[in-house]
Amino acid sequence: MKKIGFLSFGHWSPSSQSQTRSASDALLQSIDLAVAAEELGADGAYFRVHHFARQLASPFPLLAAIGAKTSRIEIGTAVIDMRYENPLYMAEDAGAADLIAGGRLQLGISRGSPEQVIDGWRYFGYAPPEGQTDIDMARRHAEVFLEVLRGQGFAQPNPRPMFSNPPGLLRVEPHSQGLRDRIWWGAATNATAEWAAAAGMNLQSSTLKFDESGKPLHIQQADQIRAFRAAWKAAGHEREPRVSISRSIFALMDDRDRAYFGGDESEDHFGYIEADTRAVFGRSYAAEPDVLIEQLKKDEAIAEADTLLLTVPNQLGVDYNAHVIEAIMTHVAPAMGWR
C-alpha cells in the first residue's frame, strides 16, 4: 500500500484558457478538488505556498475549509516557506486548522525556494540576525515552531488576568495533540534530509533537488531517502517516519489527455534554480496506462517512498483534475501494488 495524494500550486490567471481566473476561483476549486479526491479514494490534498504570486499563499484558511468539508483525506502543504513565518502565530493557526480537520493535517515546511521578489521575507518583517543567513533564520523559525507544538507551557501568566488560567506556565492555544509528529521538511539535499531526520520531521522530496551526483532524479532521491532513514534510526526516534515524493504523472485515457500531454517524451534535465546551485529537474510521465506502469516500476524513489503526490494542472479545472486522479487510482495504482 502507498498513500496517493495530489499537489496543487493553485495558479490563477485572467487568461481565457484558464479555469481559475481569480484568487477566489483557485481557492474554491481547491476545496472542490479535495472533496472530489476523497470521493475517488485518494489519500491526500496538498498545496504549495508562494508569496507575491498569483498562486496559493496563506494556507490555513484553505486547510481549515477543506477539513470542514471532508472527513478522511489528509490535508497538507508542500511547502510553507519558514522564512516568512511567525512560528507562534503559525502554531495557533495550525492547531485550529488541525482541530477542525480532526487531526488530519500533514504540514510540509522548508527554507523555501526562490520567490517572486528579492528577499520577500523582509517585507513580512523578518531578517536573519547578524552573521546568519536566511537559511539559518528558516531553520530557527522551524525549531521554535516544533518546540511550541509539543504543547508545553513556557509563558509567564499575568497575576491578574482577564480570564482565569490553568496552573503553571501557559502555552499557545489551541493546541492539537499529535500535530508535532505530522510535520514534514522539504529537503533539497541529502544533508538537509539528515538534519530533518535528527529533528524528528518526516521527509518531503520534490520534483527537483540539488544535483549531488549527476545521476537521474529518481536515483538521487532514493539515495536521499535512504540517508534520511539511516539518520532517523541513528537519532533513536520511537515512531516510524514518513516520506513523500511528488511526480507529474498522466495516464493517457482519452483525446483530452493526449491533446494536453500526449507526445511528452520528457527526460530529467539539469539547470540552475539559484545562481550558484545546480539542480536536477524530474521528468514528467505521460503514457497509456500499460506503458506508464512499466515506466513507474523503474522509478527507485517512488519505490522507496510511502506517499506519492501527483502534481495537478489546477488551471484545467476541477472536473479534469478529478479525471486525472481517477485514472491513476483506477488504472495504475492497483497494477503497481499501491492498492
Side-chain angles (χ1 to χ4, degrees):
M1 295 291 291
K2 191 182 298 289
K3 289 185 178 294
I4 304 171
F6 72 82
L7 172 60
S8 173
F9 279 54
H11 295 282
W12 72 86
S13 166
S15 167
S16 61
Q17 304 301 312
S18 174
Q19 298 296 312
T20 52
R21 300 184 187 181
S22 68
S24 176
D25 289 341
L27 287 161
L28 295 175
Q29 289 186 29
S30 293
I31 298 170
D32 290 343
L33 183 57
V35 171
E38 180 172 83
E39 293 172 350
L40 291 169
D43 303 299
Y46 287 74
F47 302 92
R48 189 68 167 88
V49 178
H50 277 294
H51 301 288
F52 299 103
R54 290 178 176 178
Q55 296 175 227
L56 298 174
S58 178
F60 293 107
L62 175 61
L63 300 178
I66 293 173
K69 296 274 285 186
T70 58
S71 61
R72 179 191 57 81
I73 198 168
E74 294 181 341
I75 310 162
T77 53
V79 289
I80 298 172
D81 188 332
M82 292 303 291
R83 295 175 296 182
Y84 288 78
E85 295 296 324
N86 177 319
L88 273 69
Y89 194 81
M90 181 178 173
E92 292 182 340
D93 278 351
D98 196 41
L99 291 170
I100 290 170
R104 289 182 283 132
L105 254 58
Q106 303 284 343
L107 293 181
I109 64 176
S110 185
R111 184 266 283 195
S113 59
E115 291 287 310
Q116 299 300 105
V117 299
I118 298 171
D119 295 346
W121 28 269
R122 293 186 183 276
Y123 295 98
F124 278 54
Y126 301 111
E130 186 70 28
Q132 294 189 10
T133 68
D134 62 313
I135 298 174
D136 298 323
M137 179 176 67
R139 290 192 178 190
R140 178 56 185 158
H141 286 181
E143 289 165 349
V144 174
F145 178 60
L146 293 174
E147 182 63 25
V148 171
L149 288 183
R150 292 177 60 240
Q152 302 300 311
F154 60 89
Q156 189 68 39
N158 187 341
R160 290 181 292 277
M162 181 178 293
F163 308 105
S164 61
N165 285 323
L169 300 177
L170 302 182
R171 66 188 184 187
V172 297
E173 300 286 359
H175 171 70
S176 186
Q177 188 69 32
L179 180 57
R180 169 62 179 82
D181 290 341
R182 288 179 273 117
I183 307 302
W184 308 57
W185 186 265
T189 67
N190 290 12
T192 304
E194 292 169 345
W195 173 83
M201 288 184 281
N202 303 307
L203 175 65
Q204 287 183 337
S205 196
S206 181
T207 50
L208 66 87
K209 73 179 293 291
F210 293 168
D211 176 30
E212 298 184 271
S213 68
K215 296 178 181 178
L217 173 69
H218 75 100
I219 294 176
Q220 294 202 43
Q221 280 185 320
D223 290 340
Q224 181 190 49
I225 293 168
R226 287 188 283 267
F228 167 79
R229 290 197 171 120
W232 184 279
K233 182 177 180 180
H237 301 303
E238 294 183 1
R239 67 177 179 89
E240 287 296 315
R242 289 182 60 183
V243 175
S244 75
I245 61 166
S246 53
R247 287 287 185 272
S248 297
I249 304 174
F250 302 97
L252 304 182
M253 306 298 300
D254 57 28
D255 289 342
R256 291 177 303 168
D257 301 326
R258 284 182 280 273
Y260 286 133
F261 304 107
D264 184 359
E265 298 295 335
S266 69
E267 299 180 351
D268 289 356
H269 66 277
F270 294 82
Y272 286 83
I273 190 171
E274 296 175 340
D276 58 350
T277 306
R278 178 178 159 93
V280 53
F281 300 81
R283 57 168 294 182
S284 295
Y285 291 95
E288 306 292 332
D290 55 340
V291 176
L292 192 59
I293 289 163
E294 294 306 311
Q295 292 175 344
L296 294 175
K297 286 179 179 178
K298 300 175 184 177
D299 192 308
E300 293 184 16
I302 289 178
E304 288 282 349
D306 60 77
T307 301
L308 173 64
L309 303 183
L310 306 170
T311 62
V312 294
N314 75 283
Q315 287 184 285
L316 295 181
V318 174
D319 290 343
Y320 182 72
N321 281 289
H323 158 76
V324 168
I325 295 167
E326 183 178 25
I328 300 299
M329 299 298 297
T330 303
H331 299 283
V332 176
M336 292 294 295
W338 302 339
R339 285 293 185 271

